[in-house]
Amino acid sequence: GAGVSQSPSNKVTEKGKDVELRCDPISGHTALYWYRQSLGQGLEFLIYFQGNSAPDKSGLPSDRFSAERTGGSVSTLTIQRTQQEDSAVYLCASSSRATYNEQFFGPGTRLTVL
Amino acid sequence: SQQGEEDPQALSIQEGENATMNCSYKTSINNLQWYRQNSGRGLVHLILIRSNEREKHSGRLRVTLDTSKKSSSLLITASRAADTASYFCATVRPISNFGNEKLTFGTGTRLTIIP
């Protein structure tokens, strides 16, 4: 079966523009996570969805960041008025109660803000 | 700040040797996981060890967990060139009643296997 997919794979934008990043989780996975990885760094947790609700938004770095999930499936991470420090790889992961603890990661979206 | 910190930050060894990486963390955990990341395959789950376990094996991987010291180690035996990657530990604390858990990653160990 298909794994987690993300689009676009690469995004170059100008400072101040808005961007939308998309994540398609593995079919049937109820939990969806967004992480950010800056160059040479570990992963930084951003937000977690259980179904369509987001019990934990604690990792969102500012109010310019928002995310939604519809139909318990696809999720969109939106960054408004992008800044150069937003440049990073944005990773999405999903998991199910069956796998319980293992998260399956997508290939990521590399965002570059000029 | 990162919950987990890996040590060393970088490690280079000859193919066939064993590689050991360590991870320390700060708070109580439910379990600890190790992930591998390389450019070809992205981030991949390797092994999970629960807080009531002390050691776990999977193929050439051996993980230990010492909850009293809040530390874990990952041993890769008989290393291969394909093991070249970054290795991250991730600690797990519950964030909901649904059973899905939040991962907090360390900054990783960059392992290079020299052929």
Side-chain angles (χ1 to χ4, degrees):
Chain A
V4 177
S5 61
Q6 292 185 245
S7 61
S9 56
N10 280 284
K11 176 71 176 179
V12 179
T13 189
E14 293 179 349
K15 178 181 173 181
K17 295 287 181 67
D18 297 351
V19 295
E20 283 191 353
L21 312 179
R22 176 186 168 109
C23 172
D24 279 274
I26 292 173
S27 178
H29 278 193
T30 55
L32 185 148
Y33 310 78
W34 283 99
Y35 298 87
R36 177 169 71 173
Q37 185 176 29
S38 300
L39 186 64
Q41 301 296 311
L43 274 73
E44 174 188 10
F45 170 80
L46 298 179
I47 189 169
Y48 152 73
F49 287 93
Q50 177 62 44
N52 291 335
S53 64
D56 190 345
K57 304 179 183 179
S58 63
L60 293 177
S62 76
D63 59 7
R64 296 185 296 104
F65 287 72
S66 63
E68 64 176 15
R69 189 181 186 194
T70 55
S73 181
V74 172
S75 176
T76 302
L77 176 69
T78 301
I79 309 173
Q80 295 177 310
R81 304 180 304 281
T82 52
Q83 304 294 312
Q84 287 183 333
E85 60 263 28
D86 299 334
S87 296
V89 176
Y90 289 81
L91 290 160
C92 174
S94 69
S95 68
S96 75
R97 296 195 71 177
T99 58
Y100 192 71
N101 290 300
E102 179 179 353
Q103 295 189 8
F104 295 83
F105 282 81
T109 293
R110 181 176 297 279
L111 175 65
T112 303
V113 182
L114 302 176
Chain B
S1 63
Q2 294 289 338
Q3 161 77 319
E5 295 183 2
E6 288 88 346
D7 164 53
Q9 291 187 336
L11 178 63
S12 292
I13 61 172
Q14 294 289 331
E15 191 170 19
E17 294 181 340
N18 296 341
T20 299
M21 289 160 274
N22 302 298
C23 168
S24 60
Y25 57 92
K26 296 181 176 64
T27 67
S28 297
I29 61 172
N30 279 4
N31 64 65
L32 184 145
Q33 302 177 33
W34 284 89
Y35 284 79
R36 180 180 64 209
Q37 184 178 41
N38 58 32
S39 58
R41 294 193 59 194
L43 198 67
V44 176
H45 178 271
L46 293 177
I47 195 167
L48 176 153
I49 186 166
R50 298 191 185 278
S51 59
N52 62 352
E53 297 176 311
R54 292 297 168 258
E55 186 171 315
K56 199 161 185 179
H57 297 255
S58 176
R60 294 184 295 113
L61 305 180
R62 172 178 168 256
V63 169
T64 63
L65 179 64
D66 187 334
T67 53
S68 66
K69 295 181 180 178
K70 291 186 168 58
S71 67
S72 173
S73 67
L74 171 67
L75 169 68
I76 304 174
T77 60
S79 62
R80 304 168 182 169
D83 295 329
T84 293
S86 291
Y87 292 80
F88 296 91
C89 70
T91 52
V92 182
R93 293 174 290 172
I95 55 173
S96 76
N97 293 323
F98 295 96
N100 298 102
E101 299 173 332
K102 168 184 176 179
L103 292 175
T104 303
F105 284 81
T107 52
T109 292
R110 176 67 190 170
L111 175 66
T112 301
I113 308 300
I114 304 166

